[in-house]
Structures are given as C-alpha cells and as structure tokens.
Amino acid sequence: MDDRTFRGGNYAAELQAPEVYAMRRRRLAEAVGRGTIVVWGAGDDRGYGDVGTFRQDSNFFYLTGVELPNAVLVLRPSEELEALFLPARQEALERWTGPKWGPGDEAAKALGFDRVLALEAGEVELEARRRPVPGFEQRLQGWLSEPAAELWTPLPGAGVDDELPFVLRLIARLRDRLPGFAVHDLSDRIAALRLIKDEGEVALMRQAVAATIAGHRRAASMIRPGVWEGAIDGAVYAAFREAGAEGIAFPSIVGSGFASTVLHYDQNVGTLQDGDLVVVDIGARYGYYCGDLTRTYPVNGRFNERQRAVYELVLAAHDAVAAAIRPGVTLGELRKIAYDIIEGSSLTDAEGNHLGRYFIHGIGHFLGLDAHDSGGEGPRLEPGMVITDEPGIYIPDEALGVRIEDDYLVTPDGAECLSKDLPTTVEAIEAMLHA
Ligand code: GLY
Ligand code: MN
Ligand code: MN
C-alpha cells in the first residue's frame, strides 16, 4: 500500500501516537471493569460513485485514531482483550474511495492493535488450509451468552423516523436469541474521558485555533462594502486548508446586516453593505480537533456609535467571563456573569428594555473532537477542559448582531486563552480591517 498518499485510509492532518489511543482504551476498560465494550465507527454509504466526505465517529476516533469506515472496537476488560474489526478489503470499491487497511497483522501493527479481525464471517488461509472464522456478530453473541453478561455501548436515541438505528436493531436481534444480557449506555463514560484533554490533544487544538485565526485574518482583509458573504466563506476555507487543516469544524457563518442576528446563519449569500456589521463565526478542523472563533466586524471599517456601544458591552461580558474561568465553576455560572453585565448596563432597545433579552444562548460549550463536545452546562470545570466564551447581543429590529468568541484551556489556577493572538478591542478590530 502506498503510505505516502493513502496512509491506509487515514487522512487526518496529524494523529497522536498509537500508544495514546491504546492508553485511552485501557482507561475506558478500567473505568467499566467488566462485560463487553463495543464502540462503532461511522459507516460510509458513499458506495460506488456517491459523493460526500467520510468523517469518523468522534468517540471511535478518540479511542482508536482510526478513520476507516464500518469499523468496530471491542474491549473485554476481564480478559484484557482488545480487537479492532474491519471489513475485508474490497478492491473494486477502493477504486472509488481509496485503499484502506483490512483485517490482518499488517494493519494491527500499523494501527497499534493486538488483533485486527474480519468484520464479516468468512474463512482465512491458515497453515495452507482454509479455515472458517466467526464474524463480528457471532463473536458478540458468544460473549453475550455468558452468565450475567453485560454489553456496554454508546446508545443512540431512537430518532424521529420509523427505522431503529442499526445498533438498536442488532441488540434486538441478539436479545431474540439470548436469554438476557444487560445493556448499558457507554456514552457518558467516554464523554468523561474526552472532557479532559491530554497534552497531545491540546497541541492539536492549538493548530486548529491557529488555522481558525488565519481564516479570520483572511476574512478581515476582504471585508468592505459590496463584497459577497460567500466569497469570504470561500476565502476562509482556503486559509484553513493552507494552514494544513482538514477543513471546517462546522459550516462557516458570515452574516451581515440582519443575518448578523441569526445565530447559525450559514447560507452566506448576502452582500456586505456600508454601515452594517458582519458576524464571522468560523472553525477549522485540524487532526479532527475543532477551533471555534467569532469576531464581529464593521463592514466600512469603523463602528458607528450604537454599534460600538453594543460591541463594547459584549466585550465587557466576554472579558468578565474570561477572568472568571477556573476550576470549580460551571458554564451556567459563567453565563450568569455575562447576563448580569448585559442586563445591568444602561444600554436599552428602542422601547427602553435592557439588553439581557437579546442574549439568547448559552455562554459557550466544551470544545474538542466535536465543535459542541458533550457535557452541557453542568460539569464543574477542571484543568485540561477546553471551553468557548461567546456572549452575544442580537437585536433583529436594528439588524444589529454582535458575538465575540474565544477558546480557553482551563488551567490549575485559571485559564489560558488559546486564541489570544486574535484581538478583540474596537481599535484592534478596526486596524485589522485597514491592514
Ligand atoms: N459556531 C457555533 C458556536 O459557536 O457554537
Ligand atoms: Mn462559533
Ligand atoms: Mn461556539
């Protein structure tokens, strides 16, 4: 296999060492301590000629560093067993989607696993004879027929359509054949590990943030009346790729005028108008890790008096939150700090209402392999967590939206702003537009 180009089907900008993923698997196995742990990779239904991009499931990637489609990870803590199941290589399909590692020793060595087994039942050549080999489902059935068997797997929601997700259908099938095994949702156990970033993850997040900053600088260099939002979106993407990133962590938001008040506007089809603000909320993905940074720019290069007042209020909330990030606080508590500043200001809307009602979202979220990493507002912050701080005020009647978003690594005594190289003050933002 040509490693230089295809890397066995792994395309991330950078991976961590195989030992790092192996250590995460050990930690998960220790945390659960029993039963059969199964983690599913994402499927790839592009087949022969459908277009689209494969992206590995974040939990699976976290535990394996493997981007191959339709893969399954199994851990059996009681016997220290770990196995990666891969589909057999399909050379005709590889003409469409590129060469991939398949089952066997070569892949096991390259990917850092004891065993890489065939997903489907079949046979292998052993000592010059063909031998039958059980596929994944038969092996799983064997493990789950033990007394007091437990299956630990991330459980998807039932969804809104009629068809049950694949994992739930498999469990139902197994239950038909087996007397009874317990099923436990593994999602929270993996989420707990993912919340605390190791050094290698932080290094990748710094790269994602650096690429995102490059995107902002490129966007700022283009902002002026008459420019199409879509052209800025495209230039941001080019800047991400030139910085080595795989692409976007989420669809870029380039919203000017009224669209600056629409939180997840990502159509980017308007034209920048003299006198408007433009919210640019973008994130590069590097080594699968996400950046997520927002700046709000005046299209003509200068904030007017009202825009400046609202901008400085959002900035005051942003800075107060930044100063309060430390181990022990929650995102909910941080939001209250921002809300109190916005609501407590003498600035009002046309009816005389204070502006707290225009801060319509949370203060931020955990950031990592997903732009919105799981965790919600609940967990108390701990060193190694990465969060965003992104207060905003959105007044549709004035077509005036402002959001300022930075990414923070929680440290033992506070926080490090990973995106401190991208300025926030009125003067610095205006200077970026005139650079
Ligand atoms: N770009 C989505 C967010 O900031 O949460
Ligand atoms: Mn964002
Ligand atoms: Mn965000």
Side-chain angles (χ1 to χ4, degrees):
M1 190 173 287
D2 182 351
D3 269 4
R4 289 163 309 168
T5 313
F6 291 111
R7 296 189 275 167
N10 269 342
Y11 297 100
E14 243 181 86
L15 292 171
Q16 295 183 257
E19 302 80 67
V20 173
Y21 304 103
M23 194 184 66
R24 291 177 191 157
R25 295 194 292 275
R26 272 201 304 281
R27 288 184 60 201
L28 179 66
E30 276 164 23
V32 173
R34 60 190 193 276
T36 302
I37 298 170
V38 179
V39 184
W40 312 89
D44 185 359
D45 50 15
R46 284 175 302 162
Y48 295 84
D50 292 338
V51 290
T53 302
F54 174 77
R55 186 170 114 66
Q56 186 56 282
D57 172 80
S58 298
N59 284 336
F60 189 88
F61 185 83
Y62 179 76
L63 293 166
T64 64
V66 168
E67 282 182 82
L68 302 171
N70 304 304
V72 188
L73 171 69
V74 172
L75 306 174
R76 298 255 300 157
S78 62
E79 56 201 71
E80 291 186 18
L81 177 145
E82 66 166 30
L84 179 69
F85 287 82
L86 292 180
R89 290 189 65 179
Q90 291 175 263
E91 287 183 15
L93 183 60
E94 289 184 4
R95 298 293 299 276
W96 291 87
T97 61
K100 310 254 182 295
W101 293 114
D105 292 344
E106 197 192 357
K109 194 154 166 278
L111 301 174
F113 282 81
D114 294 342
R115 305 172 189 77
V116 174
L117 302 170
L119 191 66
E120 304 297 342
E123 18 178 61
V124 291
E125 190 103 14
L126 266 184
E127 294 152 9
R129 286 171 50 199
R130 295 204 72 78
R131 302 267 173 85
V133 201
F136 173 73
E137 195 163 329
Q138 289 115 305
R139 288 182 198 256
L140 186 56
Q141 183 166 336
W143 290 320
L144 295 180
S145 359
E146 294 169 352
E150 294 184 20
L151 173 64
W152 289 79
T153 194
L155 289 176
V160 286
D161 49 16
D162 290 333
E163 190 172 27
L164 280 178
F166 156 76
V167 177
L168 300 184
R169 278 185 281 137
L170 174 66
I171 290 172
R173 251 194 337 270
L174 289 165
R175 276 204 185 288
D176 281 346
R177 304 199 284 261
L178 295 173
F181 55 89
V183 180
H184 302 285
D185 189 4
L186 188 64
S187 309
D188 289 351
R189 303 290 180 121
I190 305 178
L193 296 177
R194 279 176 52 187
L195 272 177
I196 311 283
K197 272 67 182 175
D198 62 38
E199 262 179 44
E201 291 181 286
V202 172
L204 293 172
M205 295 198 73
R206 288 184 198 281
Q207 298 274 25
V209 168
T212 307
I213 290 175
H216 267 287
R217 294 199 186 285
R218 187 74 55 88
S221 75
M222 293 175 66
I223 287 171
R224 59 183 57 80
V227 173
W228 188 46
E229 292 167 355
I232 296 173
D233 178 351
V236 163
Y237 186 75
F240 287 176
R241 295 292 280 162
E242 285 165 29
E246 288 115 47
I248 51 172
F250 53 85
S252 296
I253 296 167
V254 182
S256 63
F258 178 80
S260 68
T261 70
V262 180
L263 298 184
H264 283 175
Y265 168 83
D266 55 21
Q267 293 81 9
N268 307 335
V269 292
T271 299
L272 273 53
Q273 307 289 335
D274 194 355
D276 281 349
L277 294 179
V278 56
V279 168
V280 178
D281 181 352
I282 55 177
R285 181 183 291 285
Y286 186 98
Y288 264 64
Y289 285 84
C290 300
D292 185 6
L293 301 175
T294 308
R295 291 293 183 269
T296 303
Y297 303 96
V299 167
N300 65 13
R302 292 269 177 255
F303 291 93
N304 68 31
E305 201 180 326
R306 172 68 169 169
Q307 291 166 347
R308 183 181 177 123
V310 173
Y311 186 93
E312 292 200 316
L313 181 55
V314 175
L315 185 57
H318 165 280
D319 290 352
V321 168
I325 301 173
R326 60 173 54 84
V329 301
T330 66
L331 287 173
E333 289 162 3
L334 293 174
R335 185 184 194 280
K336 184 165 181 343
I337 293 172
Y339 178 85
D340 287 348
I341 288 173
I342 291 170
E343 181 65 7
S345 158
S346 59
L347 282 188
T348 62
D349 65 11
E351 278 83 51
N353 300 302
H354 287 262
L355 299 185
R357 66 178 59 196
Y358 297 106
F359 174 26
I360 53 176
H361 53 72
I363 190 60
H365 48 87
F366 294 98
L367 186 68
L369 288 169
D370 291 311
H372 289 184
D373 251 18
S374 52
E377 290 204 334
R380 298 211 165 270
L381 297 185
E382 293 175 41
M385 292 180 175
V386 177
I387 62 166
T388 66
D389 166 16
E390 50 176 309
I393 293 176
Y394 313 92
I395 312 175
D397 286 349
E398 298 183 41
L400 192 169
V402 174
R403 177 161 68 254
I404 304 169
E405 176 175 29
D406 280 301
D407 303 337
Y408 292 83
L409 169 68
V410 182
T411 60
D413 46 12
E416 177 192 343
C417 181
L418 298 175
S419 42
K420 57 182 170 299
D421 291 345
L422 188 64
T424 51
T425 63
V426 162
E427 295 69 27
I429 292 287
E430 290 181 347
M432 273 175 82
L433 294 169
H434 291 156

